[in-house]
Amino acid sequence: MNAVRSPMAELLARQVLPATTFVASAGVRGGERDPFVDAVLAEDRLSLGERHPRTLDDLEDDYFDLIVTLSPEAHHTALELTRSLAVDVEYWPMPDPTDVGGTREQIMAAYREVRERLKARIGRRFVAPEGKKPR
C-alpha cells in the first residue's frame, strides 16, 4: 500500500544515489501514512516530509530502468506490468512490520529491522566498495 517499506526504501535510496537518479515508490493499492515509519526515520534524522502513499497509477512517469519490489504482491504486479518492457525487476523480500503486535517498543523494533535491512540491501546494490557511489 506504499505506506511502510517502499517509502522507507525510496528515502534511503535517495541518501546514497546521485541526485540525478529518479527514485519513486508506489504501491499496488492506496494506503494511509504510517506513523511508525515517521518515527523510525526520525531516529536517523530523516523525514518523508509531506509525502503521502501513492499507487502505480499516481506516478507521472512509467519508464524505469529498474523496479525493486518488496512484497510478493508487488513483485507479481511489476512482472505483469513490465512483461513487454525492457526493464529489470528485482525482488527484495522484506518482512511486513505491520504484522507485528505487542508493545510499542516491540512494534518499533520490527520497523527498525525493516529500515536496517533496507539500508543494507540498498548499500549492497548501489554503493561500490570503499563507500563510493557507482558511476
Side-chain angles (χ1 to χ4, degrees), residues 3 14 18 40 44-45 49 56-57 63 71 86 90 96 99 103 105 119 125:
R14 288 179 189 273
V40 298
D44 280 2
R45 298 183 184 166
L56 293 167
D57 293 333
Y63 175 79
S71 72
E90 293 181 11
D96 183 355
D99 289 340
T103 66
E105 188 53 38
K119 278 186 200 177
R125 176 62 171 87

Side-chain angles (χ1 to χ4, degrees), residues 22 24 54-64:
F22 177 72
R54 57 186 171 221
T55 65
L56 293 167
D57 293 333
D58 294 332
L59 295 178
E60 294 177 19
D61 194 351
D62 61 358
Y63 175 79
F64 301 97

Side-chain angles (χ1 to χ4, degrees), residues 4-96:
V4 179
R5 296 167 284 193
S6 184
M8 273 199 259
E10 176 184 345
L11 187 61
L12 295 169
R14 288 179 189 273
Q15 302 299 304
V16 299
L17 292 170
T20 55
T21 302
F22 177 72
V23 179
S25 70
V28 176
R29 293 181 311 276
E32 297 295 322
R33 190 153 166 171
D34 187 313
F36 288 108
V37 171
D38 293 323
V40 298
L41 290 174
E43 292 175 345
D44 280 2
R45 298 183 184 166
L46 298 172
S47 171
L48 292 172
E50 296 300 313
R51 187 203 179 283
H52 292 281
R54 57 186 171 221
T55 65
L56 293 167
D57 293 333
D58 294 332
L59 295 178
E60 294 177 19
D61 194 351
D62 61 358
Y63 175 79
F64 301 97
D65 295 314
L66 173 66
I67 296 174
V68 174
T69 61
L70 304 172
S71 72
E73 183 181 10
H75 189 65
H76 176 74
T77 300
L79 291 175
E80 288 294 316
L81 290 173
T82 61
R83 190 179 321 187
S84 62
L85 302 175
V87 59
D88 292 328
V89 179
E90 293 181 11
Y91 177 44
W92 300 357
M94 289 289 150
D96 183 355

